Amino acid sequence: MNAHQKLSPRHARVIQALLPGNWVIREALDRVAGSSNGPDVIYQLRGKFGYDAIESERIEAVDRDGKACQVGRYRLTQQGRERLAQISANANTHGEAAA
């Protein structure tokens, strides 16, 4: 992604949620994104920043009925952080809005 490419408000909200480096579960991601398809938003962001920029995994959990299930969660990788920092630095150097 280059500094001239803009993020949608949805993408920007998800990036902000991922920036602290903590895992974000899919349900929380849906709320942050304002959509009910967080995995698709992650797919779109991976297309912009590279597949290795956002890590995902499934973890064991218990649903509200007490049944075992798996939930997905996501976080930025070190490569993703570095790309975001570089894009932000390039944007600031050229007086543009950061990604």
Side-chain angles (χ1 to χ4, degrees):
M1 178 175 169
N2 65 47
H4 300 286
Q5 210 170 11
K6 298 198 184 220
L7 292 175
S8 71
R10 178 175 291 166
H11 290 163
R13 288 190 302 270
V14 169
I15 290 294
Q16 287 299 313
L18 295 172
L19 272 174
N22 301 323
W23 287 102
V24 179
I25 63 170
R26 185 254 169 103
E27 290 81 4
L29 195 68
D30 287 350
R31 286 190 296 277
V32 167
S35 71
S36 62
N37 197 357
D40 188 56
V41 176
I42 294 296
Y43 174 79
Q44 293 168 16
L45 288 170
R46 283 176 170 160
K48 292 179 181 290
F49 294 104
Y51 186 83
D52 61 345
I54 301 173
E55 160 178 32
S56 64
E57 70 178 14
R58 295 183 71 134
I59 59 170
E60 299 294 325
V62 177
D63 69 13
R64 72 169 94 182
D65 298 319
K67 297 194 185 271
C69 66
Q70 291 188 337
V71 297
R73 64 183 189 171
Y74 305 90
R75 72 176 174 187
L76 281 175
T77 63
Q78 186 61 37
Q79 296 93 333
R81 289 179 184 297
E82 291 168 4
R83 286 184 197 124
L84 282 171
Q86 184 62 42
I87 290 165
S88 181
N90 288 344
N92 290 337
T93 300
H94 295 93
E96 299 165 358

